[in-house]
Amino acid sequence: MVKRVGLFGGTFNPIHVGHLRVAEEVKNGFDLDCIYFIPAALPPHKDTTGLVDAQDRKEMIDLAIASNPGFEISDVEIRRQGRSYTIDTVTAFQGGKQENTAYYLIIGMDQFFEIVTWKAYEALFEAIPLIVMTRPQEPESDPSKRFDTMLEHARLHVDKGYQARPDEMCLVHDTKQPIYMFEVTPLAISSSKIRALARQQNSIKYLVTDTVEAYILSKDLYSHDT
Ligand code: ATP
């Protein structure tokens, strides 16, 4: 039996219920055995203002996923330190000792449109199938138009050999791994929104789990920008 594993990287500053819910939907939709949440040590493409310590972000993930046996955490990027490149993480998982495991890389659509700025992105498209989750702030709300936009983007910026399989919401290629578009419940929740609320001393209740809320309050994590 092949084990099916999702790799879900992010800054998780902090992890919120949007992350948890969409991961749950992907897990069910793709029949994955588990999903690894992988906090970046240092995100290469993000402003690091307000970025709390990696250990705190890891602790919050531990708290948030504690009740879900299908969710795991990997500190591979934290241990590697420095800028966290997804290609290195994928290589680490695929080169590990887990045999008979099929890996999937899970990203939000906002990230998909930036992926060509990532280190060795061409190698990434060859190495691992992508699951691209929709996100509410995208300019296009019609799913089929969104799919066309993804296809156009992949052909223009990655390789013109991508073909559409609209029935499966999938882009296929002769030599590269498939790219799936996956509709998730639109949850207009982001870590930046949560940090802004916390900075203004506003409630973050129900945007994060109770355990994460308690952790943020007890350590006074986002009340000032650092
Ligand atoms: P920030 O607001 O600080 O940019 P974020 O909320 O986007 O953070 P990240 O840790 O950067 O959180 O997200 C990790 C991954 O989860 C990214 O691929 C992102 O696109 C995706 N993601 C985050 N929130 C959602 C959401 N509400 N719906 C779908 N995907 C999401």
Side-chain angles (χ1 to χ4, degrees), residues 11-12 16 19 46 108 110-111 135 187 189 191-192 195:
T11 317
F12 300 115
H16 52 70
H19 294 128
K46 278 198 180 181
D110 54 318
Q111 303 271 287
R135 244 189 125 161
L187 294 164
I189 302 173
S191 301
S192 21
R195 293 195 301 276

